[in-house]
Amino acid sequence: MKLTKNTIFITGGTSGIGRALAEAFHQRGNKVIVAGRRRALLDEIAAANPGIDTVELDIGDAVQIKRVAQQVIAKYPALNVVINNAGIMPFDDAGGALDDEQAVRLIDTNLLGTVRTSAAFIEHLKLQPEATLINNSSVLAYVPLAATALYSATKAAVHSYTMSQRFVLRNTSVRVLEIAPPWVDTDLIHKSGDPRAMPLDAFIAEIMQKLPEASTEVLVDSAKPFRDNAGPNEHAFVDQFNQLVTDNPIPVA
Ligand SMILES: NC(=O)c1ccc[n+]([C@@H]2O[C@H](COP(=O)([O-])OP(=O)(O)OC[C@H]3O[C@@H](n4cnc5c(N)ncnc54)[C@H](OP(=O)(O)O)[C@@H]3O)[C@@H](O)[C@H]2O)c1
């Protein structure tokens, strides 16, 4: 995709990867509309980045998604990029009790949020001469982290759905990209400065460098071993990864 002169709507833009992506695009001369639930952060982003527009949106609410999409499209008829970035990552226990409320919220946010937002914007995107739909999945779409089993499953589902979207939209003006981040040091779990987590600025710099040439997935180099399909050997790979994390736990606040 081109990195300038787009009109971009991004969900989960109040912090972490979403905010950094929004600001990187804003600095390159794109019109950026940032969505999120936290009004105070939206106001802070607008104040720090004159020209960025903001809108309150709970991605878990199907009615709100439709309403906000209609408002944004009416205000910005040139809108040509939608970035599905909002997400949450609670820990769970796939071998024990289920927190049903948390499970539903997780699927509503990470999976249905992406699906519903895509659907709310897609007919408009098809009318643009050049449009891009970007879904933020995770390397955990390819290698599940057992301690966040349902999160990993929602991201595998986002990866799968993205491939279907890419195929069905192949003869339209809409290109479909998937950003699959490795562990990036944000508040998703707990910003910890852990050396295993990629610093946010380095992650964004590499993604922005790779986006112009990307046609399917956008992966930083350090994420590629996760993506390399281990085929029938994936069980050993998944076990090895999870044993490593079990022995060296992720710091939680
Ligand atoms: N950091 C990593 O290691 C990593 C790795 C792989 C993938 N990812 C993915 O990257 C995306 C961004 O995560 P991040 O690391 O930047 O974490 P983050 O700083 O916690 O950002 C998450 C964003 O999602 C928004 N969000 C959460 N629930 C929402 C809801 N119901 N409605 C609207 N917005 C909601 C939050 O905004 P509000 O709270 O203001 O609504 C926030 O802006 C997520 O999809 C995550 O799964 C991150």
Side-chain angles (χ1 to χ4, degrees):
M1 67 178 283
K2 61 182 164 76
L3 292 189
T4 56
K5 299 196 177 117
N6 300 292
T7 303
I8 301 171
F9 176 76
I10 180 163
T11 67
T14 49
S15 63
I17 293 172
R19 177 171 180 165
L21 269 181
E23 291 181 334
F25 276 113
H26 172 68
Q27 285 153 16
R28 284 167 174 78
N30 298 278
K31 180 74 199 175
V32 182
I33 303 104
V34 165
R37 289 168 303 178
R38 289 171 287 178
R39 183 74 256 170
L41 285 179
L42 292 172
D43 291 344
E44 186 199 310
I45 290 164
N49 301 276
I52 285 191
D53 198 358
T54 64
V55 59
E56 248 177 84
L57 171 62
D58 182 342
I59 210 79
D61 182 331
V63 176
Q64 265 190 50
I65 291 175
K66 276 191 186 161
R67 178 174 46 75
V68 166
Q70 281 164 6
Q71 284 168 357
V72 169
I73 289 167
K75 192 169 173 187
Y76 298 103
L79 183 108
N80 69 325
V81 178
V82 170
I83 306 179
N84 283 306
N85 167 77
I88 51 173
M89 185 179 179
F91 285 78
D92 56 18
D93 181 2
L98 176 69
D99 179 339
D100 206 274
E101 203 182 307
Q102 173 178 288
V104 170
R105 192 166 57 247
L106 187 48
I107 292 169
D108 273 352
T109 307
N110 292 10
L111 178 55
L112 285 179
T114 298
V115 170
R116 287 172 173 149
T117 304
S118 300
F121 282 97
I122 199 65
E123 294 307 328
H124 174 78
L125 290 182
K126 285 182 198 167
L127 298 175
Q128 306 308 308
E130 269 182 63
T132 308
L133 177 65
I134 302 179
N135 295 332
N136 188 346
S137 63
S138 167
V139 292
L140 302 183
Y142 314 120
V143 183
L145 177 63
T148 60
L150 191 56
Y151 170 85
S152 303
T154 63
K155 294 301 189 172
V158 167
H159 167 63
S160 168
Y161 196 75
T162 306
M163 289 193 290
S164 297
Q165 287 180 310
R166 188 174 298 121
F167 183 78
V168 296
L169 291 165
R170 69 194 181 288
N171 294 326
T172 73
S173 61
V174 186
R175 301 281 64 82
V176 181
L177 300 177
E178 175 184 356
I179 295 179
W183 182 6
V184 180
D185 200 17
T186 69
D187 285 327
L188 186 64
I189 302 176
H190 165 54
K191 204 180 287 171
S192 60
D194 190 301
R196 292 171 294 174
M198 188 168 186
L200 181 59
D201 53 354
F203 172 74
I204 296 297
E206 200 174 332
I207 292 296
M208 294 306 283
Q209 185 220 322
K210 289 185 164 158
L211 269 176
E213 299 302 321
S215 58
T216 53
E217 294 162 7
V218 197
L219 276 95
V220 295
D221 290 344
S222 64
K224 286 183 178 160
F226 284 87
R227 180 59 180 113
D228 292 342
N229 196 330
N233 296 322
E234 77 173 334
H235 309 289
F237 191 85
V238 170
D239 286 351
Q240 201 181 28
F241 167 62
N242 278 290
Q243 194 57 55
L244 205 69
V245 178
T246 305
D247 295 342
N248 305 277
I250 295 168
V252 183

